[in-house]
Amino acid sequence: MGTDTAAAVLTVDLGAIVANWRFLQAQHPSGETGAVVKADGYGLGARPVAAALAASGCRTFFVATADEALSLRDTIPEAALVVLGGLFVGAEQEFAARGIIPALGSLAEIDAWTSLGRCLGRVLPALLHVDTGMSRLGLDAREASILAEDHARLDGLDLRYVMSHLVSAEVPDDPLNAIQRDRFLAMRERLAPGPASLANSAGMFLGEGFGFDLARPGSALYGINPTPGRTNPMRQVVTLMARVLAVREIPAGATAGYNATWTAARVSRIATLGVGYADGWHRSHSNAGAAYFDGHPVPLVGRVSMDLTTFDVTDRPDIHPGSWLELLGPHRAADDAAVDAGTIGYEVLTSLGHRYRRVYRPE
Ligand SMILES: *Cc1c(COP(=O)(O)O)cnc(C)c1O
């Protein structure tokens, strides 16, 4: 591998991310397809991911926070860069100076942004975020009514899109999807009957009427299945290989790991990897799931500790110190690891640690 000192190597296939973006774009011919690169590109590296997508024609990027936008601004100088978390109070000047677009989520944010625009004599770009059921960000019904009575409050803004966010897009028959879309249509009609943005990755697969003018896929770009329960249409992006540090034979009745949560039922070979919860390989993987060797699973046994994880390789005498096991890759997607750890693929990816050697496979 050319990585003699690495305990684990995380390979990110930028070509696959670009292919996933193009595939999503093809699902949405009537509008623009952006890319969500918050949380450091879902743990995979916002800068290389955004650079690859921008070079492939993606023009609109979404992050969660102002600091994320600032750290990406120079990587994608031409792109529209939207902060989903809204206009941070006190940071208005910084947003305007760096050309960062807030998703305005309250009357106070609208007023702060328009008054700065007046002050600077500039028409400042914005998205208008309305809450259709998430109860986190966006104008609520009361604020929306006030704004509907007082449209002038939006004067002087370059309002690019009205947006909202789906609660259950990955559950296609959840009635909330249609309810939210109808609320969204009604709010858009009253507030700003222009271009609109509603769908996340899964929302792009809900059929007609959810795509609108700008789609905001994140997870699907990174290989997470936007259609849970059906075949994943996305390409896999991530491979995580870890080196076997040690292999030992233990007698029947011996235990592995903290608190002796696993007991060998037979004479067993235990392989130890230098990956643990400090690398985002959560403790909830303890005694759950497997790594792959040569395409065959070897079960994870015992507690995941900070820097180490143990596997029962009794049936694989060909695993030795220096062998490499696949934690994520062609045999085991982030979605699979998530099932074992009682979480979702999003959390598996965004937890991937910074101790891994990171390799970016170019397009
Ligand atoms: C994270 C996020 C997205 C992307 O969601 P995915 O399910 O990862 O595609 C889109 N819109 C908003 C508002 C988000 O917070």
Side-chain angles (χ1 to χ4, degrees), residues 245-315:
L245 302 181
V247 178
R248 73 203 48 237
E249 193 171 285
I250 61 172
T255 64
Y258 284 115
N259 307 120
T261 61
W262 182 83
T263 305
R266 54 177 175 165
V267 176
S268 298
R269 291 176 79 243
I270 299 297
T272 302
L273 300 186
V275 168
Y277 62 76
D279 301 294
W281 208 255
H282 291 146
R283 221 161 152 270
S284 50
H285 279 102
S286 298
N287 289 302
Y292 280 77
F293 184 71
D294 249 0
H296 297 284
V298 288
L300 191 161
V301 296
R303 282 263 152 86
V304 174
S305 44
M306 185 185 292
D307 315 301
L308 300 168
T309 308
T310 44
F311 293 81
D312 178 2
V313 298
T314 312
D315 298 327

Side-chain angles (χ1 to χ4, degrees), residues 17 21 24 33-46 49-50 53 58-65 68 72 76 80-85 163 165 197-201 204 214-222 346 350:
I17 294 175
W21 181 73
L24 293 167
T33 298
V36 181
V37 294
K38 63 192 178 186
D40 197 22
Y42 287 51
L44 305 185
V49 168
L53 287 171
C58 184
R59 290 179 284 118
T60 303
F61 293 83
F62 296 88
V63 292
T65 69
E68 286 187 318
L72 256 189
I76 44 171
L81 182 51
V82 180
V83 174
L84 292 167
M163 66 161 279
H165 192 43
S197 175
L198 182 63
N200 64 340
S201 300
M204 298 183 76
L214 171 65
R216 307 188 306 270
S219 57
L221 296 171
Y222 311 106
Y346 294 64
T350 56

